[in-house]
Amino acid sequence: MRSDAIKTGADKAPHRSLLYALGLTKEEMERPMIGIVNSFNEIIPGHVHLRQICEAVKAGVRVAGGTPIEFPAIGVCDGIAMGHTGMKYSLASRELIADSIEVMALAHAFDGLVFIPNCDKIVPGMLMAAARLDIPSVFVSGGPMLTGYSNGKTLDLNSLFEAVGELAAGKITPCELEEIEECACPGCGSCSGMFTANSMNCLTEVLGLGLPGNGTIPAVSGARTRLAKKAGMAVIDLVAKDIRPSQILTEQAFHNGLVVDMALGCSTNTVLHLPAIAHEAGITLDLEMINDISKTTPHLCKLAPAGEHHVQDLDRAGGIPALLGVLDGLGLIETNVPSVTGKTMAENIAGAKVRDADVIRSKETAYSQTGGLAILKGNLAPDGAVVKKGAVAPEMLVHQGKARVFDGEDEAVKAIFAGEIHAGEVVVIRYEGPKGGPGMREMLTATSAVQGMGLGSSVALITDGRFSGATRGAAIGHVSPEAMEGGLISLVAEGDEIAIDIPNGKLELLVDEETLAKRKAAWEKPAPKITKGYLAKYAGRVSSAAQGAISLK
């Protein structure tokens, strides 16, 4: 066992003495030692209940004959961090999470790991660590939050961001806003739509590192606690058979992940995270693969923010196993792939049924015969940009308009709330990329303001930063190269015409080459916004969004 390095032999007497100091018995030391990576904290609603999940995991480990040892991981709540400096730290925290888990796991010679994430960057950060460490590992998330309800309407966190815009537009009163804010998030769990957290938890299940149900069983359900116990049991079997992430995170697994990504219409952030996880596994995912898969994958589920359904509805309809069954029937996925259950995907989904054909549709009744995400390219984004096309109003799939240019999110949000943005315009928010932000902020405040002000079907947004998984509308992010690197987005001027053609994957700045050459000659790279601390280090090492914003060596 890997843990022999800290507990076996006369020369390990000092190590054993320290383990005795923890209260461990000799019998516990003789068993597989399992690290439980718990991202519990008291600031993220999706994580506030993870002590309970962790205790269930420990129970499962003990039942199966192992010794569980818990250690923490940090986490950022994207909703609370949104719209201020805190959001610069969200994506950047992904690298810290992976690095810190590497430190803890290797320094203490664990035989196996159970990862307990739930929200946004914590899930991919842990997946990156699992791929890098290649120690027997299983994931169990904290599960999705239930939806809120008020005045006959189903609510989620995105309802609040859009309500702020509605208040600014005079559509609702301050009292109505207060009622929505008290009802939208009823309790623990990851925010209830197909936002980034739930997207990644579902994809963890598809990749084979999470047990069936990991992505959809509600946080407050007893089934979630049972799943945590099963995860604890499963890791002992993985250790015994030495089944490691490298045997599960194969090219076929990532292909399956991208297919499900398209069928669900997941968060655009998956386009950052899946390539970063694949990179740690020694596999290359490029943006062209995403478009190729999207061309042949129907959009079968339309969850909030794109539609009316939420993750609890997907669970009720049969969850990810039922969706995989539909995709398998269409010949779109490879089911002879291993998973942490010790069985193949084919065995895991055998007998899974669609219980609600409105939530999980067939190819014939699909929302679209192509996937819910799209990669756009053109002179404005030669390395690519991404849009959740399943959440774009039909009239905005093809659009041309005059640019309104802002060197940062804050300026853009002020202009939107002030009524300075008009139908037909294209809002360009730049210097928000991985290096320029730094940290590539999500800009849910900006997109929600557009929706709340009633401009969602007439105004497009383009940025070298990111948009939240809760975003809907013609919001195009990850424009690469970014402005800070001298990408063409840095040369866009107020009033320039921009052409968007989502069905054909095009994003073009309609300005002649001579004019662009003059602007390029006059362009000066701005000074860094942050010059000390972690973000300064991050900005110096991070790659472009087209490469998954990974840290360069």
Side-chain angles (χ1 to χ4, degrees):
M1 291 191 290
R2 291 173 178 81
S3 60
D4 287 344
I6 63 169
K7 66 186 186 185
T8 301
D11 61 325
K12 297 303 185 293
H15 305 65
R16 290 193 295 272
S17 182
L18 291 168
L19 295 174
Y20 282 130
L22 298 176
L24 294 181
T25 65
K26 182 178 180 181
E27 290 79 9
E28 287 175 306
M29 288 187 219
E30 291 173 348
R31 299 170 183 169
M33 300 182 74
I34 306 301
I36 314 295
V37 192
N38 187 4
S39 56
F40 163 82
N41 62 50
E42 294 183 338
I43 190 63
I44 306 178
H47 292 226
V48 73
H49 65 303
L50 294 189
R51 280 177 173 160
Q52 177 184 343
I53 298 295
C54 187
E55 289 306 312
V57 170
K58 291 177 184 178
V61 170
R62 293 189 181 104
V63 164
T67 298
I69 301 175
E70 177 185 352
F71 65 88
I74 65 166
V76 170
C77 178
D78 280 25
I80 295 174
M82 196 72 66
H84 61 96
T85 300
M87 180 45 70
K88 294 177 183 288
Y89 287 88
S90 174
L91 180 60
S93 73
R94 187 186 71 179
E95 318 306 311
L96 273 178
I97 290 165
D99 291 350
S100 63
I101 293 170
E102 174 191 346
V103 169
M104 291 295 292
L106 296 184
H108 302 103
F110 291 113
D111 296 302
L113 297 168
V114 179
F115 293 85
I116 308 176
N118 210 27
C119 293
D120 294 70
K121 308 313 162 295
I122 298 94
V123 185
M126 288 190 178
L127 285 166
M128 290 166 66
R132 183 188 304 173
L133 292 166
D134 205 26
I135 295 169
S137 300
V138 62
F139 280 65
V140 57
S141 77
M145 185 186 292
L146 296 178
T147 54
Y149 191 80
S150 177
N151 286 329
K153 292 183 179 180
T154 299
L155 303 172
D156 55 44
L157 179 66
N158 196 40
S159 305
L160 258 301
F161 280 95
E162 294 191 3
V164 173
E166 292 172 355
L167 179 68
K171 297 180 179 180
I172 62 173
T173 67
C175 288
E176 288 173 313
L177 177 65
E178 184 176 356
E179 181 172 347
I180 295 170
E181 72 180 73
E182 289 178 354
C183 298
C185 299
C188 66
S190 49
C191 295
S192 57
M194 190 49 69
F195 311 150
T196 305
N198 292 323
S199 295
M200 290 307 305
N201 283 324
C202 288
L203 293 181
T204 300
E205 189 176 329
V206 177
L207 290 174
L209 287 184
L211 299 176
N214 180 70
T216 60
I217 297 173
V220 296
S221 170
R224 174 62 57 178
T225 302
R226 295 195 299 273
L227 189 74
K229 291 177 181 177
K230 290 178 182 178
M233 298 177 200
V235 75
I236 300 301
D237 189 51
L238 296 173
V239 170
K241 296 175 180 177
D242 196 27
I243 298 174
R244 291 168 282 111
S246 60
Q247 297 161 260
I248 296 172
L249 294 177
T250 61
E251 290 185 6
Q252 292 86 353
F254 281 103
H255 179 273
N256 289 342
L258 288 172
V259 170
V260 172
D261 200 350
M262 297 303 119
L264 283 174
C266 289
S267 163
T268 53
N269 284 313
T270 60
V271 177
L272 285 174
H273 300 321
L274 285 177
I277 298 160
H279 174 76
E280 294 287 354
I283 295 169
T284 299
L285 295 186
D286 61 47
L287 298 185
E288 289 302 323
M289 290 177 60
I290 294 171
N291 264 354
D292 289 344
I293 289 172
S294 181
K295 289 174 185 176
T296 60
T297 305
H299 188 187
L300 303 179
C301 301
K302 212 167 199 181
L303 278 62
E308 296 300 316
H309 299 129
H310 289 78
V311 180
Q312 67 197 54
D313 301 311
L314 177 59
D315 187 65
R316 174 179 50 80
I320 298 302
L323 176 61
L324 288 169
V326 174
L327 294 169
D328 183 33
L330 297 174
L332 294 174
I333 57 172
E334 173 58 62
T335 59
N336 188 29
V337 292
S339 74
V340 292
T341 64
K343 301 176 181 178
T344 64
M345 178 188 288
E347 292 172 304
N348 288 338
I349 67 175
K353 296 180 180 179
V354 175
R355 301 191 186 97
D356 188 330
D358 189 39
V359 178
I360 303 176
R361 296 193 173 190
S362 65
K363 179 177 173 63
E364 292 71 29
T365 59
Y367 293 98
S368 168
Q369 293 304 312
T370 56
L373 300 181
I375 302 300
L376 310 183
K377 288 193 173 182
N379 68 344
L380 192 51
D383 293 342
V386 63
V387 63
K388 184 186 269 196
K389 73 173 184 178
V392 178
E395 56 268 40
M396 289 298 292
L397 289 170
V398 178
H399 179 74
Q400 182 173 324
K402 293 188 181 299
R404 300 297 310 278
V405 184
F406 302 94
D407 289 344
E409 177 191 16
D410 300 335
E411 293 179 16
V413 169
K414 287 179 183 177
I416 296 167
F417 281 137
E420 297 172 5
I421 303 301
H422 307 104
E425 295 178 337
V426 178
V427 176
V428 177
I429 307 175
R430 62 191 180 192
Y431 296 106
E432 290 285 5
K435 291 180 180 292
M440 204 178 181
R441 286 194 287 183
E442 284 184 350
M443 286 176 272
L444 181 57
T445 301
T447 56
S448 298
V450 166
Q451 294 291 335
M453 297 287 283
L455 298 170
S457 60
S458 61
V459 167
L461 295 96
I462 296 175
T463 185
D464 54 4
R466 300 182 295 133
F467 292 119
S468 167
T471 290
R472 61 190 177 103
I476 300 166
H478 307 194
V479 169
S480 300
E482 64 174 288
M484 197 67 171
E485 293 286 272
L488 193 63
I489 191 171
S490 68
L491 306 183
V492 180
E494 192 82 4
D496 284 351
E497 290 285 326
I498 293 177
I500 301 165
D501 185 346
I502 294 173
N504 290 303
K506 299 292 184 182
L507 182 61
E508 298 282 343
L509 176 63
L510 305 181
V511 176
D512 64 86
E513 290 297 327
E514 183 179 352
T515 301
L516 291 177
K518 291 179 181 177
R519 292 181 187 175
K520 183 69 174 178
W523 179 77
E524 294 182 3
K525 185 174 183 176
K529 296 175 185 175
I530 294 179
T531 58
K532 62 181 181 179
Y534 176 62
L535 281 179
K537 298 173 187 175
Y538 177 83
R541 297 180 60 193
V542 68
S543 74
S544 78
Q547 297 173 280
I550 59 173
S551 287
L552 300 173
K553 305 301 182 187

